[in-house]
Amino acid sequence: MDPADITNRFNFHPATTVEKRNAHTDIRQNCMLLAGFLNELLPEGQEKSLAITNLELVMFWSNAALARNNEEEPTR
C-alpha cells in the first residue's frame, strides 16, 4: 500500500468549506431520519440492530468520502 494512502486514511480532515460542513450535516441528519424510521417500523431483534449498525457505517463511510476527497466542494 502506498504510504500516502495510509497518511490520507488516518489524518484528520476538517471540513474546509461551508459546503462540506453542510454536506456532513446533511448526511448525519438523513441517516438519523432513516434510523428513526427503521426503529419505529422494525421489530426488536438482531436484524434491527444490524440494520441500525450498518446505517452507522453508511454515515461513517459517507463522511469519510467527503473528508478524504481533495476537491473543495462535494459532488452531488
Side-chain angles (χ1 to χ4, degrees), residues 43-61:
E44 294 298 325
Q46 181 182 11
E47 294 84 359
K48 177 179 178 176
S49 179
L50 287 169
I52 299 295
T53 298
N54 281 285
L55 186 54
E56 288 179 283
L57 288 172
V58 166
M59 184 178 71
F60 173 82
W61 286 116

Side-chain angles (χ1 to χ4, degrees), residues 30-45:
N30 282 288
C31 286
M32 189 181 305
L33 285 172
L34 181 53
F37 171 75
L38 294 174
N39 190 44
E40 293 296 319
L41 180 68
L42 302 176
E44 294 298 325

Side-chain angles (χ1 to χ4, degrees), residues 4-35:
D5 185 41
I6 296 287
T7 300
N8 188 49
R9 288 173 185 239
F10 291 95
N11 270 348
F12 175 67
H13 301 279
T16 55
T17 65
V18 171
E19 291 81 11
K20 274 198 175 185
R21 282 191 294 276
N22 290 342
H24 284 287
T25 298
D26 289 346
I27 288 168
R28 283 192 308 275
Q29 287 176 342
N30 282 288
C31 286
M32 189 181 305
L33 285 172
L34 181 53

